[in-house]
Amino acid sequence: MLSPRPLLPVLLAVVLVTPACAPAQAAPAQAAPAHAVAAGAVAAGADGIETARTGRQIAPGIRLESYDRLESDRWLRIDELLVDLGGSGGVRAEYLGGRGPATVAESAARHPAGAGRRVVAAANGDFFDIRGTGAPLGPGLGGGRLLHSAGPGPAAAPAVGFGADGAGRVLRIGLDGSVTLPGGVVRPLTGYNAARPAAGGLCAYTADWPGTRLPALGTAVEVRGGRVVAAAPPVRGRRGPLRRERPEPGTTLLAAASGDGAAAAELAALRAGDAVAVAARAVAGGGPVPVAAVGGREALVVAGVPQDHDGEPNNTAAPRTAVGFSRDGRRLRILAVDGRQRDSGGLTLTALGAMMHRLGSYEALNLDGGGSTTLLAALSGAEDLALENSPSDGPPRPVSNGIVLTAPAGSGRTAGFRVEPVGGTAEEFTRVFPGLGRTLTATGYDALLGPAPGAPVWFAQGAGTVGPGGVFHAVRPGRATAHARRATAHGALPLTVLGPLTRIRPTRSRIGLAQQGEQAGFRLTGYDAQGAAAVVEPRDVALEFDRSRWSVTDDGRGGFTVTALVPQATGHLRAAVGAAAVEIPLGVGLVTLPVTDLADAGEWTGPGASVARGHPGAGLALELPRAGAQGGAAAPRPVPVPELARALTLWVDGDGSGARPTVELADADGAVVKVPGPAVDWTGWREVAFALPATAQPPLAVTRFSAVAGTKPGRLALDTLGARTPPTGPAAVPVLRDPIAATEAAVRARPWRFAVGEGAADAADAAGADFVLTGAGRPGFVHRGVRFLSLDTASPTLAGGGLSRIRALREALAAAAREPATGALAVVRTYAPAAVDRKESALTDRLLAEFRRTTGKRAAVLTLAAPEFAAARSEGVLSVAAPRTGRTVLGVDAFARGDWLAVRHTP
């Protein structure tokens, strides 16, 4: 885990005292491996930058690629399945679900793959009647049969289809149906298991009905074996009693659309035993009817041309699921783009079409997105599918149908092992400290990557050993490889043994639980002297805590689970690994902590805001002069919320108008979090609770109160904001002094020096500095073995600033890597914490650390005009924060054996 670094912005000028720039010299570039891009690598795209990519084979003919992109106005997280259809891998795409909304995982688990086949991947499918019947809105075919038509009416609707030869295409599918009544009278069938029946005509429902409840229907009869069985009462739909979820197998419910008197009369005239034939088949435009098909909506790419959806109502940034095909239909691409999250803003339809075209799709169709976007894929040797994307609702949403990929099942004979650390595949789990351990697992897979049970024999090469249970024990710093072998089957995992452990830090600085029995988890991250991080497993940790109040157990994923055994308590948990120790405050129960008494109500500004009589003292009034009116008051300054707060409390003087108050907050990234309260149906003062969403990223701060009037004008008075918070003590903040914070003599002992800050000119003269870094703009330059990169971070990350900064950093890293006379890169920025978001900061850290590891050269980040002086390091990358006041001088030796910087700050 990378340590956070102060965020900084604005271009810097360099006043040279004795300029001496090393010439840039080109070196031959090294090609990256063809199969993957390293986690720290960055690849440029047409209108953004790809910042990380991982990939794995799911089955022969199916590969998963997952990556992040930084666009000019958002981050994106993307997962895509690349599928060879109808090839030697034997992959098939099939209709998934169709028995009422279920999560993609639930539907995939019960999908009948067929003899000798297995399910290997799945994604959500069509838009559906989410608040009504739960049925898909488009057409669907499975196993060569029409399962449901689109509605309303028999007209063709867009879908993705897959033929008998496996090839796919985007097409339109309509309904060709008829009803033959006694006497040979033939009427058109206007709907077949349709979620929304046509306004007129006859519609049919069978056991293939894909919803949870039938739509509202008029007169109906049951038909079995070509004969009327009985008349059926009207189906009143969601607002009334339901006849049943779906007809019994072999029975067709034939209904007249509500309001169609002629069709209703014909059905009402039928008697038991009358001959009635119902026929329905799919018709497809532009080719044969597919064997399997799932409906969609907007065309994204048509005949190789991306479509423009500007001005359309659905063309907003959102989570998206899309399906695309190559020109011959043999190459399928299923794309899932996360959205409505700070880490991934989603795509418009126009942008999604441009992306699908850029990725190679000749045809592409938009499927259901939003909270429905879900993509699952198999891990080699695993029985169950893994969720690959991050649904915007949090947990996966039940959906009406989907697309499932099946492939031939393997022999079950072990051909290899997937070796992984317990807890995850992130870098922090593939590192170990000397003397500590890392628990590994080996999952066997057969030649087709299917499950193959069997225990391996473990051994290791390099800086450690592996015991029979798969626990790697680190012996000395360096590289190691853990091996799992059984006969000719083999798997391996590279590991890094860091330097000796110097300190530990928990992933939670405090743990607060609301009630007895509630649980929370944490991990311990250790650091060596260079700030390189690795997770420390519970087996290597000694714990001290009050066992009568708390339970602390190994969570089986490299961390701990804390459980409250009593309803109200405070305490501490001490965790130690050798000489390194940390204390975590614990608390259970909720107390109300004061946030603001609104004594400054006169400084809150907004439409309809005024000072009112409070509860007690001064309060804040919001006037809502008419029904539906909105009022609000902005805080004069953000009001911090306690870190562990579960809910906010606010006294509200109600008038019974039905107005609804809302507390608005800013999270750690400045994103707005709105927490609505109940409709005010009372009069007088009442304390109201506003539950904080678990997904809100602390620290939080209240920025505004707002309200919306109900059906009549209203006036609310507000007072005394509190926070319901578990009662823990303050977290201990360790004081760290990095060795680069040195004496003046140590700074002068370096080959050359420079000064930092607006008032550093005198310091430069006194220290014999070569130049002064100030706050005005200047291009990057090289000086005595150090390439300096000045980054303008005045523009926010998601307003184009991040894209330009990362591009500039990539260029500087590439230049420094190929210059033999350059031994270090120094990134210089000015402190401005609101401009650079967490994801950009982490990416910058990762790129610098990767540069250091791959080139052996040095890297540092210099922060100008910081609130206070600081010197630290993370993953071997040095960081220096220089305050605006005082004098900061840095001694430099870009080719030193040890630390290449020495820093002295004098207040």
Side-chain angles (χ1 to χ4, degrees):
M1 183 175 294
L2 297 176
S3 300
R5 178 174 290 133
L7 307 182
L8 14 156
V10 169
L11 271 177
L12 314 168
V14 179
V15 180
L16 287 177
V17 179
T18 56
C21 296
Q25 299 183 25
Q30 293 184 345
H35 65 278
V37 178
V42 180
D47 52 0
I49 297 175
E50 187 179 306
T51 63
R53 179 180 286 265
T54 59
R56 71 173 190 266
Q57 201 70 25
I58 303 304
I62 308 178
R63 183 169 179 81
L64 173 73
E65 294 288 332
S66 302
Y67 49 96
D68 287 2
R69 284 181 62 86
L70 173 58
E71 306 287 338
S72 61
D73 61 346
R74 72 196 65 202
W75 288 96
L76 292 175
R77 275 198 311 260
I78 301 168
D79 297 280
E80 56 176 322
L81 287 168
L82 307 175
V83 187
D84 291 324
L85 294 172
S88 60
V91 179
R92 296 177 193 161
E94 302 171 4
Y95 183 97
L96 176 67
R99 304 293 289 180
T103 66
V104 177
E106 291 168 342
S107 295
R110 59 176 178 248
H111 180 76
R117 300 187 66 80
R118 65 188 182 99
V119 171
V120 293
N124 70 289
D126 199 1
F127 294 80
F128 63 103
D129 187 14
I130 190 170
R131 293 179 178 86
T133 64
L137 298 178
L141 288 86
R145 295 188 303 110
L146 174 65
L147 301 177
H148 51 87
S149 66
V160 291
F162 305 91
D165 63 350
R169 72 186 198 271
V170 176
L171 72 164
R172 297 183 69 84
I173 297 176
L175 171 65
D176 180 14
S178 63
V179 178
T180 303
L181 299 173
V185 177
V186 179
R187 300 295 184 213
L189 188 67
T190 59
Y192 185 78
N193 287 328
R196 295 174 181 171
L202 298 172
C203 51
Y205 292 87
T206 72
D208 287 329
W209 164 243
T212 54
R213 59 181 69 198
L214 292 169
L217 301 171
T219 304
V221 297
E222 289 184 351
V223 177
R224 178 185 287 271
R227 299 282 177 177
V228 174
V229 177
V235 179
R236 285 183 256 174
R238 59 181 293 207
R239 300 192 192 294
L242 299 178
R243 181 179 174 277
R244 61 169 67 94
E245 291 185 358
R246 61 178 51 81
E248 298 293 331
T251 297
T252 298
L253 180 69
L254 185 62
S258 299
D260 189 331
E266 288 185 310
L267 291 186
L270 296 175
R271 297 292 180 265
D274 286 349
V276 174
V278 179
R281 69 182 185 93
V283 290
V289 175
V291 173
V294 173
R297 186 175 290 173
E298 296 89 356
L300 300 173
V301 183
V302 177
V305 179
Q307 302 298 291
D308 184 354
H309 292 274
D310 287 355
E312 297 179 13
N314 193 28
N315 193 40
T316 57
R320 297 290 182 184
T321 304
V323 173
F325 299 98
S326 59
R327 189 165 190 165
D328 63 0
R330 297 293 180 181
R331 185 75 166 166
L332 164 68
R333 185 182 308 272
I334 302 177
L335 192 78
V337 182
D338 290 337
R340 297 174 186 160
Q341 303 169 49
R342 190 70 175 179
D343 284 353
S344 189
L347 287 176
T348 65
L349 289 174
T350 300
L352 181 64
M355 177 175 287
M356 293 296 286
H357 176 259
R358 187 171 66 246
L359 293 172
S361 293
Y362 185 75
E363 295 178 316
L365 185 69
N366 180 51
L367 303 187
D368 191 12
S372 299
T373 290
T374 310
L375 189 143
L376 307 176
L379 292 162
S380 55
E383 295 280 355
D384 300 324
L385 304 185
L387 176 65
E388 299 298 336
N389 74 309
S390 298
S392 62
D393 291 352
R397 172 190 289 177
V399 296
S400 65
N401 62 7
I403 297 174
V404 63
L405 302 178
T406 68
S411 64
R413 294 189 297 272
T414 308
F417 288 97
R418 172 168 49 89
V419 181
E420 293 179 325
V422 169
T425 57
E427 189 174 37
E428 299 95 291
F429 288 96
T430 61
R431 296 168 161 187
V432 198
F433 294 101
L436 305 186
R438 178 68 68 222
T439 304
L440 308 176
T441 62
T443 305
Y445 56 85
D446 61 25
L448 299 184
L449 303 183
V457 174
W458 291 94
F459 66 97
Q461 295 173 315
T465 62
V466 181
V471 178
F472 174 81
H473 296 278
V475 176
R476 62 185 183 278
R479 301 288 182 179
T481 303
H483 298 268
R485 186 181 298 279
R486 183 184 184 193
T488 59
H490 174 254
L493 178 69
L495 297 164
T496 301
V497 181
L498 302 175
L501 178 71
T502 59
R503 60 187 176 96
I504 57 175
R505 188 177 69 181
T507 52
R508 292 173 181 252
S509 60
R510 296 184 295 161
I511 294 177
L513 304 171
Q515 58 190 355
Q516 182 179 356
E518 187 173 309
Q519 297 180 329
F522 74 95
R523 285 176 176 152
L524 285 177
T525 303
Y527 300 87
D528 67 9
Q530 288 297 322
V535 171
V536 178
E537 290 191 8
R539 68 172 63 249
D540 295 319
V541 181
L543 300 176
E544 296 179 14
F545 58 94
D546 186 340
R547 298 177 186 272
S548 68
R549 297 182 172 190
W550 321 95
S551 166
V552 183
T553 57
D554 184 338
D555 67 6
R557 300 182 300 277
F560 300 87
T561 299
V562 178
T563 306
L565 302 181
V566 294
Q568 195 85 25
T570 59
H572 283 83
L573 167 66
R574 185 179 189 274
V577 183
V582 66
E583 283 199 352
I584 307 172
L586 304 176
V588 58
L590 293 175
V591 297
T592 301
L593 301 179
V595 176
T596 177
D597 60 4
L598 288 178
D600 61 352
E603 300 179 49
W604 291 63
T605 57
S610 62
V611 177
R613 188 168 185 173
H615 181 77
L620 178 67
L622 297 180
E623 300 285 349
L624 305 168
R626 61 187 179 281
Q630 298 183 12
R637 64 199 65 82
V639 181
V641 173
E643 178 187 2
L644 300 180
R646 299 296 185 88
L648 297 176
T649 60
L650 181 67
W651 282 91
V652 179
D653 185 15
D655 59 357
S657 67
R660 187 179 294 273
T662 295
V663 179
E664 299 183 21
L665 308 98
D667 70 4
D669 293 317
V672 176
V673 179
K674 295 185 178 182
V675 187
V680 178
D681 56 3
W682 68 88
T683 58
W685 286 100
R686 178 181 295 183
E687 190 176 38
V688 177
F690 297 76
L692 294 172
T695 55
Q697 180 66 40
L700 302 174
V702 176
T703 57
R704 191 171 183 267
F705 294 127
S706 62
V708 178
T711 57
K712 58 184 179 180
R715 180 183 186 276
L716 302 182
L718 314 176
D719 196 12
T720 313
L721 183 70
R724 296 288 289 165
T725 308
T728 69
V733 180
V735 178
L736 301 175
R737 180 179 177 84
D738 195 273
I740 64 170
T743 64
E744 187 169 344
V747 172
R748 285 182 171 275
R750 297 286 172 152
W752 64 277
R753 290 157 296 287
F754 68 96
V756 176
E758 294 179 354
D762 292 340
D765 290 341
D770 288 13
F771 57 81
V772 177
L773 290 178
T774 65
R778 177 187 168 87
F781 64 97
V782 179
H783 184 78
R784 300 181 69 173
V786 181
R787 173 170 285 276
F788 286 85
L789 170 65
S790 297
L791 288 182
D792 176 8
T793 49
S795 299
T797 300
L798 302 185
L803 192 60
S804 61
R805 287 189 288 269
I806 296 301
R807 280 178 172 155
L809 178 58
R810 289 176 61 236
E811 292 170 1
L813 290 170
R818 65 175 176 259
E819 294 167 349
T822 296
L825 173 70
V827 175
V828 188
R829 304 183 293 186
T830 298
Y831 182 78
V836 182
D837 71 15
R838 290 176 294 112
K839 199 164 182 177
E840 183 194 341
S841 184
L843 175 58
T844 300
D845 288 348
R846 191 168 75 241
L847 291 175
L848 292 171
E850 183 72 14
F851 167 79
R852 179 179 176 274
R853 285 196 294 266
T854 57
T855 67
K857 298 185 178 186
R858 318 304 182 82
V861 175
L862 310 179
T863 307
L864 304 191
E868 59 185 7
F869 174 77
R873 69 188 69 205
S874 173
E875 302 292 331
V877 178
L878 306 179
S879 63
V880 176
R884 188 180 299 274
T885 59
R887 44 180 275 181
T888 305
V889 180
L890 295 87
V892 186
D893 182 353
F895 302 97
R897 285 185 176 274
D899 287 333
W900 65 284
L901 287 181
V903 187
R904 176 68 174 174
H905 175 73
T906 304

